[in-house]
PDB file of all heavy atoms in Angstrom:
ATOM      1  N   GLY A 125     119.951 145.488 -16.100  1.00 97.00           N
ATOM      2  CA  GLY A 125     121.113 145.035 -16.860  1.00 97.00           C
ATOM      3  C   GLY A 125     120.789 144.846 -18.333  1.00 97.00           C
ATOM      4  O   GLY A 125     121.538 145.280 -19.209  1.00 97.00           O
ATOM      5  N   GLU A 126     119.674 144.198 -18.610  1.00 97.00           N
ATOM      6  CA  GLU A 126     119.260 143.984 -20.003  1.00 97.00           C
ATOM      7  C   GLU A 126     119.026 145.314 -20.716  1.00 97.00           C
ATOM      8  O   GLU A 126     119.489 145.523 -21.838  1.00 97.00           O
ATOM      9  CB  GLU A 126     117.984 143.142 -20.046  1.00 97.00           C
ATOM     10  CG  GLU A 126     117.458 142.917 -21.448  1.00 97.00           C
ATOM     11  CD  GLU A 126     116.141 142.157 -21.446  1.00 97.00           C
ATOM     12  OE1 GLU A 126     115.255 142.469 -20.612  1.00 97.00           O
ATOM     13  OE2 GLU A 126     116.010 141.259 -22.281  1.00 97.00           O
ATOM     14  N   LEU A 127     118.341 146.232 -20.038  1.00 97.00           N
ATOM     15  CA  LEU A 127     118.074 147.538 -20.625  1.00 97.00           C
ATOM     16  C   LEU A 127     119.376 148.295 -20.878  1.00 97.00           C
ATOM     17  O   LEU A 127     119.570 148.885 -21.950  1.00 97.00           O
ATOM     18  CB  LEU A 127     117.155 148.343 -19.703  1.00 97.00           C
ATOM     19  CG  LEU A 127     116.787 149.754 -20.141  1.00 97.00           C
ATOM     20  CD1 LEU A 127     116.091 149.745 -21.501  1.00 97.00           C
ATOM     21  CD2 LEU A 127     115.898 150.405 -19.091  1.00 97.00           C
ATOM     22  N   SER A 128     120.284 148.256 -19.918  1.00 96.00           N
ATOM     23  CA  SER A 128     121.573 148.948 -20.068  1.00 96.00           C
ATOM     24  C   SER A 128     122.356 148.416 -21.255  1.00 96.00           C
ATOM     25  O   SER A 128     122.901 149.185 -22.057  1.00 96.00           O
ATOM     26  CB  SER A 128     122.407 148.799 -18.796  1.00 96.00           C
ATOM     27  OG  SER A 128     121.756 149.392 -17.706  1.00 96.00           O
ATOM     28  N   ARG A 129     122.422 147.095 -21.376  1.00 97.00           N
ATOM     29  CA  ARG A 129     123.150 146.487 -22.501  1.00 97.00           C
ATOM     30  C   ARG A 129     122.505 146.856 -23.839  1.00 97.00           C
ATOM     31  O   ARG A 129     123.202 147.174 -24.809  1.00 97.00           O
ATOM     32  CB  ARG A 129     123.206 144.968 -22.336  1.00 97.00           C
ATOM     33  CG  ARG A 129     124.159 144.513 -21.240  1.00 97.00           C
ATOM     34  CD  ARG A 129     124.288 143.001 -21.183  1.00 97.00           C
ATOM     35  NE  ARG A 129     123.025 142.318 -20.927  1.00 97.00           N
ATOM     36  CZ  ARG A 129     122.480 142.151 -19.713  1.00 97.00           C
ATOM     37  NH1 ARG A 129     123.093 142.632 -18.650  1.00 97.00           N
ATOM     38  NH2 ARG A 129     121.343 141.499 -19.575  1.00 97.00           N
ATOM     39  N   THR A 130     121.198 146.841 -23.877  1.00 97.00           N
ATOM     40  CA  THR A 130     120.493 147.173 -25.110  1.00 97.00           C
ATOM     41  C   THR A 130     120.737 148.624 -25.506  1.00 97.00           C
ATOM     42  O   THR A 130     121.044 148.910 -26.669  1.00 97.00           O
ATOM     43  CB  THR A 130     118.978 146.904 -24.956  1.00 97.00           C
ATOM     44  OG1 THR A 130     118.790 145.526 -24.603  1.00 97.00           O
ATOM     45  CG2 THR A 130     118.226 147.204 -26.240  1.00 97.00           C
ATOM     46  N   LEU A 131     120.638 149.535 -24.547  1.00 96.00           N
ATOM     47  CA  LEU A 131     120.888 150.953 -24.845  1.00 96.00           C
ATOM     48  C   LEU A 131     122.334 151.173 -25.278  1.00 96.00           C
ATOM     49  O   LEU A 131     122.593 151.935 -26.214  1.00 96.00           O
ATOM     50  CB  LEU A 131     120.547 151.823 -23.636  1.00 96.00           C
ATOM     51  CG  LEU A 131     119.070 151.901 -23.255  1.00 96.00           C
ATOM     52  CD1 LEU A 131     118.886 152.703 -21.967  1.00 96.00           C
ATOM     53  CD2 LEU A 131     118.224 152.477 -24.374  1.00 96.00           C
ATOM     54  N   ALA A 132     123.262 150.496 -24.610  1.00 95.00           N
ATOM     55  CA  ALA A 132     124.677 150.646 -24.964  1.00 95.00           C
ATOM     56  C   ALA A 132     124.947 150.162 -26.380  1.00 95.00           C
ATOM     57  O   ALA A 132     125.835 150.689 -27.058  1.00 95.00           O
ATOM     58  CB  ALA A 132     125.547 149.883 -23.967  1.00 95.00           C
ATOM     59  N   ASN A 133     124.191 149.200 -26.835  1.00 96.00           N
ATOM     60  CA  ASN A 133     124.421 148.618 -28.162  1.00 96.00           C
ATOM     61  C   ASN A 133     123.712 149.345 -29.298  1.00 96.00           C
ATOM     62  O   ASN A 133     123.977 149.043 -30.461  1.00 96.00           O
ATOM     63  CB  ASN A 133     124.003 147.140 -28.177  1.00 96.00           C
ATOM     64  CG  ASN A 133     124.953 146.273 -27.401  1.00 96.00           C
ATOM     65  OD1 ASN A 133     126.145 146.549 -27.335  1.00 96.00           O
ATOM     66  ND2 ASN A 133     124.435 145.217 -26.796  1.00 96.00           N
ATOM     67  N   THR A 134     122.828 150.296 -28.997  1.00 95.00           N
ATOM     68  CA  THR A 134     122.078 150.938 -30.076  1.00 95.00           C
ATOM     69  C   THR A 134     122.958 151.828 -30.941  1.00 95.00           C
ATOM     70  O   THR A 134     122.793 151.852 -32.154  1.00 95.00           O
ATOM     71  CB  THR A 134     120.919 151.807 -29.550  1.00 95.00           C
ATOM     72  OG1 THR A 134     121.461 152.891 -28.812  1.00 95.00           O
ATOM     73  CG2 THR A 134     119.927 151.007 -28.758  1.00 95.00           C
ATOM     74  N   GLY A 135     123.847 152.593 -30.303  1.00 92.00           N
ATOM     75  CA  GLY A 135     124.663 153.529 -31.070  1.00 92.00           C
ATOM     76  C   GLY A 135     123.842 154.654 -31.686  1.00 92.00           C
ATOM     77  O   GLY A 135     124.321 155.330 -32.592  1.00 92.00           O
TER      78      GLY A 135
END
Side-chain angles (χ1 to χ4, degrees):
E126 178 184 43
L127 179 59
S128 298
R129 287 185 300 278
T130 302
L131 292 175
N133 288 328
T134 65

